[in-house]
Amino acid sequence: MSLRVGLLECDHVDDRFRSIAGDYHDMFASLFERATVDLDLVRYDVRGGELPATVAECDAYLCTGSRHSVYDDLGWIKQAAELVRSLHDAGRPFVGVCFGHQLIAEALGGKVELSATGWGVGVQPIEIVRTEQWMAPHATRCRLRFMHQDQVSRLPPEAVLLGHTDHCPIAMFRVGTTMLGIQAHPEFSIAYAEALLDARVALIGADRIDEARHSFESSTDERAVAQWFAQFIAGRGGVAS
């Protein structure tokens, strides 16, 4: 029986880009299918105010990225942070991607800020500083696509750093045995990432965007990371290094 995973949608893909790879639900469903990971994704439109009635509605939760910042003064973000705290207290598995990664930090006592070195975009290698049993296949680094301006600047109490990049010192971490965050976007296709870059030249800068486009020529490890997600939320192998 597949795990029932609540997909907490903290944004939706713009209509102008929807034809590329669908909405975020479609991207994550495709990611797990390509990685031969069997998960039953249940959608919650968190940005629209839809939340699970109880944390027990799903076996685990996966939180998407967003164009918003976790420190924005918006009611739905405050509700999402409260949900993270409830999931943490209940020991219910949670994986946060980009905004979701930052939400864990912000909700549990860490800090998120604008990156002092600007946007992090393109394919970047995450150096794994702590290898744990659920990280199978094992790797000392994983290459993934990034697209972010905010990043975690201080870990929450009792968090464990798992990986970093040159641009992002806290690129992957966990809190306890049930909360996992990653700054990268394993769900993004090259075509979707390129469309976002094309739309953000004025924000990011032409030189950095050219570097990001060139980086898309290199291979990435999103299938392995999708397997890590599934094994983490299933509690397989514990967290011992």
Side-chain angles (χ1 to χ4, degrees):
M1 183 179 296
S2 63
L3 288 171
R4 180 179 171 89
V5 177
L7 182 66
L8 305 175
E9 296 178 304
C10 295
D11 210 341
H12 296 286
V13 173
D14 281 352
D15 290 342
R16 57 182 167 156
F17 302 138
R18 197 72 63 88
S19 63
I20 298 172
D23 206 348
Y24 290 119
H25 170 269
D26 304 295
M27 293 183 190
F28 279 104
S30 176
L31 169 66
F32 291 125
E33 181 179 357
R34 287 183 285 114
T36 63
V37 169
D38 185 17
L39 298 176
D40 178 18
L41 295 179
V42 180
R43 301 175 73 172
Y44 294 92
D45 184 5
V46 175
R47 198 183 75 172
E50 183 183 6
L51 294 169
T54 72
V55 297
E57 279 192 13
C58 295
D59 299 308
Y61 293 87
L62 172 63
C63 187
T64 72
S66 178
R67 74 195 71 190
H68 298 281
S69 297
V70 296
Y71 47 78
D72 286 345
D73 187 18
L74 297 172
W76 70 265
I77 295 178
K78 294 176 182 178
Q79 291 175 340
E82 183 58 37
L83 175 61
V84 167
R85 288 188 285 270
S86 296
L87 291 168
H88 178 251
D89 291 344
R92 189 69 56 165
F94 178 96
V95 175
V97 173
C98 195
F99 177 92
H101 159 86
Q102 296 164 12
L103 187 63
I104 298 173
E106 191 78 6
L108 298 182
K111 189 171 181 60
V112 176
E113 299 177 288
L114 279 172
S115 170
T117 54
W119 284 77
V121 293
V123 175
Q124 299 182 34
I126 299 178
E127 300 294 334
I128 303 301
V129 298
R130 178 182 170 90
T131 302
E132 302 192 323
Q133 292 178 20
W134 51 269
M135 293 180 184
H138 294 303
T140 58
R141 64 165 52 186
C142 59
R143 298 179 60 83
L144 295 171
R145 297 178 191 102
F146 283 72
M147 179 71 67
H148 67 105
Q149 190 176 20
D150 291 333
Q151 60 188 32
V152 178
S153 59
R154 186 181 72 237
L155 285 169
E158 301 181 8
V160 175
L161 180 66
L162 299 175
H164 65 84
T165 73
D166 289 343
H167 179 269
C168 184
I170 303 175
M172 185 175 176
F173 73 95
R174 65 169 171 81
V175 181
T177 60
T178 58
M179 311 292 288
L180 173 66
I182 188 167
Q183 182 60 64
H185 280 284
E187 79 281 13
F188 277 11
S189 66
I190 292 176
Y192 180 64
E194 286 181 333
L196 290 180
L197 289 175
D198 289 342
R200 295 173 176 175
V201 174
L203 290 174
I204 299 172
D207 289 344
R208 184 158 291 187
I209 282 181
D210 286 343
E211 291 175 5
R213 287 197 183 102
H214 181 71
S215 75
F216 291 156
E217 298 173 6
S218 61
S219 61
T220 49
D221 301 302
E222 62 272 8
R223 293 184 186 183
V225 171
Q227 293 172 351
W228 289 5
F229 288 175
Q231 287 152 184
F232 182 85
I233 65 178
R236 296 175 187 152
V239 298
S241 58

